[in-house]
Amino acid sequence: MLDVFREVLPDGYLLILSPEIANPHGEVKLSRALHRATRSEKQAVMIDCSLVERLSDEAVELLLAYSFILRAQGRRLVLSHVPNPVRYHFLDLDPASQPLLVSSLLEAVDEIKLSY
């Protein structure tokens, strides 16, 4: 259902979500990848959702939890290419819980540089 590719960048930690590998435990992979990303010293964790059409409610809850954790550490969760059916989960949150939503990875990198 969900596979996660990881890449360490100079200003952030990039996770690319992919639906290509059928896996009934996609949220477990996402949780592990987010845990690894938060253990890095990077100022931002960027997640590219361009390859997925939707995210499960569990995946959304994980993203919200890690957004809150990263904010508490003075870092950011940045989501790019969020599918429209999922966007509403993130838009009506208080600023302390809301991840940064951007349209592209280039915009994500620019936002990270501006923030820090």
Side-chain angles (χ1 to χ4, degrees):
M1 175 120 176
L2 180 69
D3 197 17
V4 181
F5 298 98
R6 296 166 281 287
E7 186 69 37
V8 179
L9 302 173
D11 297 319
Y13 196 103
L14 174 63
L15 302 175
I16 302 171
L17 305 184
S18 172
E20 293 176 0
I21 297 175
N23 183 349
H25 303 291
E27 290 78 19
V28 173
K29 282 188 173 189
L30 178 59
S31 178
R32 287 180 184 157
L34 285 166
H35 179 72
R36 270 190 224 112
T38 56
R39 290 182 55 191
S40 76
E41 300 285 324
K42 302 299 180 178
Q43 289 298 314
V45 175
M46 298 176 290
I47 300 181
D48 183 350
C49 302
S50 61
L51 300 176
V52 296
E53 293 179 16
R54 64 174 300 279
L55 295 171
S56 68
D57 290 340
E58 292 83 8
V60 169
E61 291 298 321
L62 270 171
L63 292 172
L64 291 173
Y66 275 93
S67 177
F68 184 79
I69 290 167
L70 287 167
R71 280 285 185 124
Q73 297 172 355
R75 303 188 299 163
R76 293 295 302 260
L77 179 67
V78 182
L79 304 176
S80 68
H81 300 104
V82 177
N84 284 333
V86 179
R87 275 186 169 284
Y88 73 92
H89 286 290
F90 304 110
L91 295 177
D92 293 331
L93 299 172
D94 63 289
S97 300
Q98 190 177 48
L100 179 61
L101 301 178
V102 295
S103 59
S104 70
L105 286 176
L106 290 174
E107 188 179 339
V109 171
D110 287 344
E111 287 291 333
I112 292 167
K113 287 180 181 178
L114 289 175
S115 298
Y116 301 101

